[in-house]
Amino acid sequence: MSDLSPLTDELVAFLEGGRSLTVASRDAALRPTLAKAVAACVAADRSSITVLLPRSQSLQLLRDVAASGQIAAVFSQPGSHRTVQLKGNDAREVAASVEDRLQLERQRGQLVEELTAFGYPVAMLEAFLDCRADDLAAIRFTPQAAYNQTPGPKAGTRLGEA
């Protein structure tokens, strides 16, 4: 884990803090696929990250991850536009745990709370971020690289660079 060893407490808190989350991969012809994820969970030993997403809305992405192992996960805090991108090359689908489902509910609540401050209706946000337990997919990966993607002069730099 080149620039992520170890994941700091602050970064873990950010990643698990109810962020707007998009996950991307690619097919064999290098065509990108992406899906909206609903939560992320950092392993207790901080060696991996699991992103949670609605399976029914992510079928092509799941196929591409299974075929390539490639993943990029973008975490963005709407209120500040702080954005972090993590990349991995060993992504694989795993079974979602009970803890993952609890994190999903907690993080979804945090994101809904943040976005209602901008005037978005709660019902709309809850529908947009809904993911039934029987539709939940989980992708686990080892972060190999992390980038600051917050708009501004440091966008695109590796985390930790000046």
Side-chain angles (χ1 to χ4, degrees):
M1 288 191 297
S2 58
D3 53 69
L4 293 178
S5 185
L7 288 169
T8 65
D9 291 344
E10 188 276 331
L11 182 56
V12 170
F14 178 79
L15 299 174
E16 292 184 337
R19 303 299 167 222
S20 177
L21 181 54
T22 303
V23 180
S25 190
R26 51 111 178 134
D27 67 13
L30 303 181
R31 288 183 298 257
T33 55
L34 72 117
K36 187 74 179 154
V38 290
C41 306
V42 178
D45 67 1
R46 300 184 181 191
S47 64
S48 66
I49 295 176
T50 302
V51 291
L52 307 172
L53 54 166
R55 177 180 304 285
S56 60
Q57 298 173 24
S58 312
L59 296 175
Q60 186 61 50
L61 178 104
L62 290 166
R63 283 191 290 270
D64 291 346
V65 164
S68 72
Q70 301 294 304
I71 193 166
V74 177
F75 301 76
S76 186
Q77 183 177 29
S80 68
H81 296 292
R82 178 182 178 196
T83 304
V84 171
Q85 180 185 61
L86 303 178
K87 292 185 177 186
N89 57 20
D90 66 349
R92 67 214 174 276
E93 189 171 355
V94 297
S97 70
V98 172
E99 176 60 29
D100 290 336
R101 289 186 174 95
L102 293 172
Q103 281 278 14
L104 167 61
E105 290 307 314
R106 184 185 65 75
Q107 291 179 32
R108 184 180 126 182
Q110 288 176 308
L111 185 56
V112 166
E113 183 178 329
E114 181 169 354
L115 291 172
T116 56
F118 296 106
Y120 293 101
V122 171
M124 181 197 78
L125 294 169
E126 288 179 345
F128 179 68
L129 298 169
D130 186 43
C131 185
R132 297 180 331 269
D134 66 345
D135 192 34
L136 185 62
I139 300 172
R140 182 168 299 141
F141 70 100
T142 304
Q144 297 296 317
Y147 300 92
N148 176 356
Q149 296 295 4
T150 305
K154 293 184 181 181
T157 60
R158 284 188 179 261
L159 284 185
E161 286 184 5

Coordinates of all heavy atoms in Angstrom, one line a residue, residues 104-151:
L104 N -23.8 1.0 6.5 CA -24.6 1.6 5.5 C -25.7 2.5 6.0 O -25.8 3.7 5.6 CB -25.2 0.5 4.6 CG -26.3 0.9 3.7 CD1 -25.9 1.9 2.6 CD2 -26.9 -0.4 3.0
E105 N -26.4 2.0 7.0 CA -27.5 2.9 7.6 C -26.9 4.1 8.3 O -27.4 5.2 8.1 CB -28.3 2.0 8.6 CG -29.1 1.0 7.9 CD -30.0 1.5 6.8 OE1 -30.7 2.6 7.0 OE2 -30.0 0.9 5.7
R106 N -25.8 4.0 9.0 CA -25.2 5.1 9.7 C -24.7 6.1 8.7 O -25.0 7.3 8.8 CB -24.0 4.7 10.6 CG -23.4 5.8 11.4 CD -22.2 5.3 12.1 NE -21.1 4.9 11.3 CZ -20.3 5.8 10.6 NH1 -20.4 7.1 10.7 NH2 -19.3 5.3 9.9
Q107 N -24.0 5.7 7.7 CA -23.4 6.6 6.7 C -24.5 7.2 5.8 O -24.4 8.4 5.5 CB -22.4 5.9 5.8 CG -21.1 5.5 6.6 CD -20.1 4.7 5.7 OE1 -20.0 5.0 4.5 NE2 -19.4 3.8 6.4
R108 N -25.5 6.5 5.5 CA -26.6 7.0 4.7 C -27.3 8.2 5.5 O -27.6 9.2 5.0 CB -27.6 5.9 4.4 CG -28.7 6.4 3.5 CD -29.7 5.3 3.2 NE -31.0 5.8 3.6 CZ -32.1 5.1 3.5 NH1 -32.1 3.8 3.1 NH2 -33.2 5.6 3.9
G109 N -27.5 7.9 6.8 CA -28.1 9.0 7.7 C -27.2 10.2 7.7 O -27.7 11.3 7.7
Q110 N -25.9 10.0 7.8 CA -25.0 11.2 7.8 C -25.1 12.0 6.5 O -25.1 13.2 6.5 CB -23.5 10.8 8.0 CG -23.3 10.3 9.5 CD -21.9 9.7 9.6 OE1 -21.4 8.9 8.8 NE2 -21.1 10.2 10.6
L111 N -25.1 11.3 5.4 CA -25.1 12.0 4.1 C -26.5 12.7 3.9 O -26.5 13.9 3.5 CB -24.9 11.0 2.9 CG -24.8 11.7 1.6 CD1 -23.7 12.8 1.5 CD2 -24.5 10.6 0.5
V112 N -27.6 12.1 4.3 CA -28.9 12.7 4.2 C -28.9 14.0 5.1 O -29.3 15.0 4.6 CB -30.0 11.7 4.6 CG1 -31.3 12.4 4.9 CG2 -30.2 10.6 3.6
E113 N -28.4 13.9 6.3 CA -28.3 15.0 7.2 C -27.5 16.2 6.6 O -28.0 17.3 6.6 CB -27.7 14.6 8.5 CG -27.7 15.8 9.5 CD -27.2 15.3 10.9 OE1 -27.3 14.2 11.3 OE2 -26.6 16.2 11.6
E114 N -26.4 15.9 6.0 CA -25.6 16.9 5.4 C -26.3 17.6 4.2 O -26.3 18.8 4.0 CB -24.2 16.4 4.9 CG -23.3 17.4 4.3 CD -21.9 17.0 4.1 OE1 -21.5 15.9 4.5 OE2 -21.1 17.8 3.5
L115 N -26.9 16.8 3.3 CA -27.5 17.3 2.1 C -28.8 18.0 2.4 O -29.2 18.9 1.6 CB -27.7 16.2 1.1 CG -26.5 15.6 0.5 CD1 -26.8 14.4 -0.3 CD2 -25.8 16.7 -0.3
T116 N -29.5 17.7 3.5 CA -30.8 18.4 3.8 C -30.5 19.9 4.1 O -31.3 20.8 3.9 CB -31.6 17.8 4.9 OG1 -30.8 17.6 6.1 CG2 -32.1 16.4 4.5
A117 N -29.3 20.1 4.6 CA -28.9 21.5 4.9 C -28.8 22.4 3.6 O -28.9 23.6 3.7 CB -27.5 21.5 5.6
F118 N -28.7 21.7 2.5 CA -28.7 22.5 1.2 C -30.1 22.5 0.6 O -30.3 23.0 -0.5 CB -27.8 21.8 0.2 CG -26.3 21.8 0.7 CD1 -25.7 20.7 1.1 CD2 -25.6 23.0 0.6 CE1 -24.4 20.7 1.6 CE2 -24.3 23.0 1.1 CZ -23.7 21.9 1.5
G119 N -31.1 22.1 1.3 CA -32.5 22.2 0.9 C -33.1 21.0 0.2 O -34.2 21.0 -0.3
Y120 N -32.3 19.9 0.1 CA -32.8 18.7 -0.6 C -33.8 18.0 0.4 O -33.6 17.9 1.6 CB -31.7 17.7 -0.9 CG -30.8 18.2 -2.0 CD1 -29.5 18.8 -1.6 CD2 -31.1 18.1 -3.3 CE1 -28.6 19.2 -2.6 CE2 -30.2 18.6 -4.3 CZ -29.0 19.1 -3.9 OH -28.2 19.6 -4.9
P121 N -35.0 17.6 -0.2 CA -36.0 16.9 0.7 C -35.5 15.6 1.2 O -34.9 14.8 0.4 CB -37.2 16.8 -0.3 CG -36.9 17.6 -1.4 CD -35.4 17.8 -1.5
V122 N -35.7 15.3 2.4 CA -35.3 14.0 3.0 C -35.8 12.8 2.2 O -35.1 11.9 2.0 CB -35.7 14.0 4.5 CG1 -35.5 12.6 5.1 CG2 -35.0 15.0 5.3
A123 N -37.1 12.8 1.9 CA -37.7 11.7 1.2 C -36.9 11.4 -0.2 O -36.7 10.3 -0.5 CB -39.1 11.9 0.9
M124 N -36.6 12.5 -0.9 CA -35.9 12.3 -2.1 C -34.5 11.7 -1.9 O -34.1 10.8 -2.6 CB -35.7 13.7 -2.8 CG -35.0 13.5 -4.2 SD -34.3 15.1 -4.8 CE -32.9 15.3 -3.8
L125 N -33.8 12.2 -0.9 CA -32.4 11.7 -0.6 C -32.5 10.2 -0.1 O -31.7 9.4 -0.6 CB -31.8 12.6 0.5 CG -31.5 14.0 0.1 CD1 -31.1 14.8 1.3 CD2 -30.4 14.0 -1.0
E126 N -33.4 9.9 0.7 CA -33.5 8.5 1.2 C -33.9 7.6 0.0 O -33.3 6.5 0.0 CB -34.6 8.4 2.3 CG -34.1 9.0 3.6 CD -35.0 9.0 4.7 OE1 -36.3 8.7 4.5 OE2 -34.6 9.2 5.9
A127 N -34.7 8.0 -0.9 CA -35.0 7.2 -2.1 C -33.7 7.0 -3.0 O -33.4 5.9 -3.4 CB -36.1 7.8 -2.9
F128 N -33.0 8.1 -3.2 CA -31.8 8.1 -4.0 C -30.7 7.2 -3.4 O -30.0 6.5 -4.1 CB -31.3 9.5 -4.2 CG -30.0 9.6 -5.0 CD1 -30.0 9.4 -6.4 CD2 -28.8 10.0 -4.4 CE1 -28.9 9.5 -7.1 CE2 -27.6 10.1 -5.1 CZ -27.7 9.8 -6.5
L129 N -30.6 7.2 -2.1 CA -29.6 6.4 -1.4 C -30.1 5.1 -0.9 O -29.4 4.4 -0.2 CB -29.0 7.2 -0.2 CG -28.3 8.5 -0.7 CD1 -28.1 9.4 0.6 CD2 -27.1 8.3 -1.4
D130 N -31.3 4.7 -1.3 CA -31.8 3.4 -0.8 C -31.1 2.2 -1.4 O -30.7 2.2 -2.6 CB -33.3 3.3 -1.2 CG -34.0 2.1 -0.6 OD1 -33.7 1.8 0.6 OD2 -34.7 1.4 -1.3
C131 N -30.9 1.2 -0.6 CA -30.3 0.0 -1.1 C -30.9 -1.1 -0.2 O -30.5 -1.3 1.0 CB -28.8 0.0 -1.0 SG -28.0 -1.5 -1.7
R132 N -31.8 -1.9 -0.7 CA -32.4 -3.0 0.1 C -31.4 -4.1 0.4 O -30.4 -4.3 -0.4 CB -33.5 -3.7 -0.7 CG -34.7 -2.8 -1.1 CD -35.7 -3.5 -1.9 NE -35.2 -4.6 -2.7 CZ -34.9 -4.5 -4.0 NH1 -34.9 -3.3 -4.6 NH2 -34.4 -5.5 -4.7
A133 N -31.5 -4.7 1.5 CA -30.6 -5.7 2.0 C -30.4 -6.8 0.9 O -29.3 -7.3 0.7 CB -31.0 -6.3 3.3
D134 N -31.5 -7.2 0.2 CA -31.4 -8.3 -0.8 C -30.8 -7.8 -2.1 O -30.7 -8.6 -3.0 CB -32.8 -8.9 -1.0 CG -33.8 -8.0 -1.6 OD1 -33.6 -6.7 -1.6 OD2 -34.9 -8.5 -2.1
D135 N -30.5 -6.5 -2.2 CA -29.9 -6.0 -3.4 C -28.5 -5.4 -3.1 O -27.9 -4.9 -4.0 CB -30.8 -4.8 -4.0 CG -30.4 -4.4 -5.4 OD1 -30.0 -5.2 -6.2 OD2 -30.5 -3.2 -5.6
L136 N -28.0 -5.7 -2.0 CA -26.7 -5.1 -1.6 C -25.5 -5.9 -2.1 O -25.5 -7.2 -1.9 CB -26.6 -5.0 0.0 CG -25.4 -4.4 0.6 CD1 -25.3 -2.9 0.2 CD2 -25.4 -4.5 2.1
A137 N -24.6 -5.3 -2.8 CA -23.4 -5.9 -3.3 C -22.2 -5.2 -2.5 O -22.3 -4.1 -2.1 CB -23.2 -5.7 -4.8
A138 N -21.2 -6.0 -2.3 CA -20.0 -5.5 -1.6 C -18.7 -5.8 -2.4 O -18.6 -7.0 -2.9 CB -19.9 -6.1 -0.2
I139 N -17.9 -4.8 -2.6 CA -16.6 -5.0 -3.3 C -15.5 -4.6 -2.3 O -15.5 -3.5 -1.8 CB -16.5 -4.1 -4.5 CG1 -17.6 -4.5 -5.5 CG2 -15.1 -4.3 -5.2 CD1 -17.7 -3.5 -6.7
R140 N -14.6 -5.6 -2.1 CA -13.4 -5.3 -1.2 C -12.2 -5.2 -2.1 O -12.0 -5.9 -3.0 CB -13.3 -6.5 -0.2 CG -12.1 -6.2 0.8 CD -12.2 -7.2 1.9 NE -13.4 -7.0 2.6 CZ -14.1 -8.0 3.1 NH1 -13.8 -9.3 3.0 NH2 -15.3 -7.8 3.8
F141 N -11.3 -4.2 -1.6 CA -10.0 -4.0 -2.3 C -9.0 -3.5 -1.4 O -9.3 -2.9 -0.4 CB -10.2 -3.1 -3.6 CG -10.5 -1.7 -3.3 CD1 -9.5 -0.7 -3.3 CD2 -11.8 -1.3 -3.0 CE1 -9.8 0.6 -3.0 CE2 -12.1 0.1 -2.7 CZ -11.1 1.0 -2.7
T142 N -7.7 -3.7 -1.8 CA -6.6 -3.1 -1.1 C -6.3 -1.8 -1.7 O -5.9 -1.8 -2.9 CB -5.4 -4.1 -1.1 OG1 -5.8 -5.3 -0.6 CG2 -4.2 -3.5 -0.3
P143 N -6.3 -0.7 -1.0 CA -6.0 0.6 -1.6 C -4.5 0.6 -2.0 O -3.6 0.4 -1.1 CB -6.3 1.6 -0.6 CG -6.7 0.9 0.6 CD -6.8 -0.5 0.4
Q144 N -4.1 0.8 -3.2 CA -2.8 0.9 -3.7 C -2.3 2.3 -3.9 O -1.1 2.5 -3.9 CB -2.6 0.1 -5.0 CG -3.0 -1.4 -4.9 CD -2.0 -2.1 -4.0 OE1 -0.8 -1.9 -4.1 NE2 -2.5 -3.0 -3.2
A145 N -3.2 3.2 -4.1 CA -2.9 4.6 -4.3 C -4.0 5.5 -3.8 O -5.2 5.1 -3.9 CB -2.6 4.9 -5.8
A146 N -3.7 6.7 -3.4 CA -4.7 7.6 -2.9 C -4.3 9.0 -3.4 O -3.2 9.4 -3.4 CB -4.7 7.6 -1.4
Y147 N -5.4 9.7 -3.9 CA -5.2 11.0 -4.5 C -6.1 12.0 -3.9 O -7.3 11.7 -3.6 CB -5.4 10.9 -6.0 CG -4.5 10.0 -6.7 CD1 -4.8 8.6 -6.9 CD2 -3.2 10.4 -7.2 CE1 -4.0 7.7 -7.5 CE2 -2.4 9.5 -7.8 CZ -2.8 8.2 -8.0 OH -1.9 7.3 -8.6
N148 N -5.6 13.2 -3.8 CA -6.4 14.4 -3.4 C -7.1 14.8 -4.7 O -6.5 15.1 -5.7 CB -5.5 15.5 -2.9 CG -6.3 16.8 -2.6 OD1 -7.5 16.9 -2.9 ND2 -5.6 17.8 -2.1
Q149 N -8.5 14.8 -4.7 CA -9.2 15.2 -5.9 C -10.1 16.4 -5.6 O -11.0 16.8 -6.4 CB -10.1 14.0 -6.4 CG -9.3 12.9 -6.9 CD -8.5 13.2 -8.1 OE1 -8.4 14.3 -8.6 NE2 -7.8 12.1 -8.6
T150 N -9.8 17.1 -4.5 CA -10.5 18.3 -4.1 C -10.2 19.3 -5.2 O -9.0 19.5 -5.5 CB -10.1 18.8 -2.7 OG1 -10.3 17.7 -1.8 CG2 -10.9 20.0 -2.3
P151 N -11.2 20.0 -5.7 CA -10.9 21.1 -6.7 C -9.9 22.1 -6.1 O -10.0 22.5 -5.0 CB -12.3 21.7 -6.9 CG -13.3 20.7 -6.6 CD -12.6 19.9 -5.4

